[in-house]
Amino acid sequence: MPELGIQIPAKRGFNLIGTANTRDRGVNDMSAALKRRFNIVVLPVPTDIDTEVQIVQKRVAEIGTSLRLPAPPPAEEAVRNIVQIFQELRRGQTLDGKQKVKPPSGVLSTAEAISLLGNSMSLAGHFGTGIVTDRDLAAGL
């Protein structure tokens, strides 16, 4: 710590893990100096809807349990609909390729889908029927 005039070495095995969303650059890009100090691993967004649905369902259930959200996870059909909407908007066209859609300026990552569903569970439990409905999902969107 140059400001204090001391050096404290890290203990063997110390690791620092940083995460960032490459689609959402925020106000500033990560500096080149900081990038040089990390091993960068890019995890692609799943292109297969079934894989993304499985990931989202697993994480939503885990988050719901750990946060003790007041509503159960939504049905698979609701998760699949959200994932499909996100995939179509990311691609700029419907999954069948028949219609073009305008991609949003915001990020629509798998993590965003998980967040939306977790928020919907909270809304349903505190302000709704206790079961995630289309209304709770729309409020999250």
Side-chain angles (χ1 to χ4, degrees):
M1 290 180 265
E3 297 85 357
L4 301 177
I6 60 173
Q7 287 186 5
I8 302 172
K11 291 187 179 191
R12 181 173 287 287
F14 173 80
N15 288 294
L16 178 67
I17 299 173
T19 64
N21 189 330
T22 56
R23 291 179 49 102
D24 183 11
R25 302 205 185 276
V27 176
N28 298 306
D29 263 342
M30 187 186 308
S31 74
L34 188 56
K35 286 180 184 176
R36 285 193 304 270
R37 289 166 172 84
F38 281 91
N39 293 323
I40 296 180
V41 178
V42 177
L43 299 174
V45 175
T47 55
D48 173 71
I49 193 165
D50 293 327
T51 300
E52 192 167 1
V53 167
Q54 287 177 344
I55 292 167
V56 170
Q57 282 184 303
K58 181 179 186 303
R59 287 298 297 142
V60 166
E62 291 169 352
I63 289 169
T65 300
S66 68
L67 296 177
R68 296 182 182 152
L69 293 178
E76 181 180 346
E77 182 182 356
V79 174
R80 186 169 294 279
N81 288 340
I82 293 299
V83 169
Q84 181 175 339
I85 290 167
F86 276 41
Q87 285 195 358
E88 289 178 339
L89 289 170
R90 282 194 301 255
R91 292 177 183 176
Q93 67 179 13
T94 56
L95 292 183
D96 60 12
K98 292 183 179 180
Q99 292 188 347
K100 300 243 184 237
V101 294
K102 182 180 177 186
S105 59
V107 177
L108 292 174
S109 65
T110 304
E112 292 291 332
I114 293 165
S115 177
L116 181 149
L117 292 163
N119 183 43
S120 298
M121 290 164 63
S122 187
L123 288 171
H126 290 294
F127 304 108
T129 63
I131 302 294
V132 177
T133 65
D134 290 343
R135 183 180 186 132
D136 302 311
L137 295 169
L141 280 171

